Amino acid sequence: MTSPRPAADWHVTEALALRYAEGAATETDAWSLEKHVESCSLCAGRVSAAVRAGAAGPVLASVRAELLASVGHRPAPVATAASPLGPWARLWWAAGPALRGSWVVAVALVLGGAFALAYGAGFQGARSWLLALSPVLPLGGVAVSYGRHADPLYEITAATPSGGLRLLLTRTAAVLTVCVPLLTAGGALLPPVAGFPGAAAWLLPGLALTLATLALGSFVGCRAAAATVAGGWLLAVTGPLLGPSATGPTGATEGSAATIARYFSGPTAQGSWAAAALACAALLVLRRRSFDHLETR
């Protein structure tokens, strides 16, 4: 077995690229090569040329053409140089389908609806309803970020050294990067409700529910896990809100605020969410290897 070499001290040789293309490289060399070409364009081109020149070249070209056609890609009439986006193109790919799909539009519609209710219809409970929905909005992004049903390149990305849990966490972080500032700022700009927690009170519950989705996703897949966690949360929140006890002297406003505040206000509630987040994170660490296998659902 070839001894591992530091990534900073070596590049892929023509001989190694040829062995890799022929499937004759050792497992250690193959994984080192695959990891190295993620950050070295020179070696990536060398390996790509070796593979295209080998027996697998025509097959890979056919598979590539069919894959690009399936996602609606049309080849440019003239060959172009490398993408001017450079590293940003790779970052955009790593961010995942969530930020390129309808999920961002859904988040914007929720925020727009809250502002329309608050400032257009004079509904004073808009802030409390937005706070109730905020913890589950990231789950929709997680559901469409990774997995057989969400990513057309799932089989390829799951087989790379950077696939599995690492890529899922990267895409989840991208989802939270969008959600956290938008929902927190949106809640702060809505009319305040007396005795109601601040706009940032949803952060720990949102983190706990997101980690719960990832942990449950290691058993049933991200899409089913997100639907289960989000459904449970919405039942817990909207059940009391829609009941007769949620109506106060000013309609549903005071009753709704008091009902939702129990889930967010006070050190007991926030401490419970923090403990739940830690427990889900620990389970996720224990189950991390499950994301190395292709989903069967």
Side-chain angles (χ1 to χ4, degrees), residues 23-36:
T26 63
E27 183 177 353
T28 302
D29 281 344
W31 276 84
S32 297
L33 179 148
E34 291 171 356
K35 185 63 180 176
H36 177 74

Side-chain angles (χ1 to χ4, degrees), residues 139 142-147 168 172 213-214 216-228 291 295:
L139 306 188
V142 173
V144 298
S145 288
Y146 192 79
L168 176 58
T172 301
T213 298
L214 296 179
L216 183 59
S218 68
F219 295 95
V220 299
C222 291
R223 189 173 67 165
T228 301
F291 294 99
E295 290 181 356

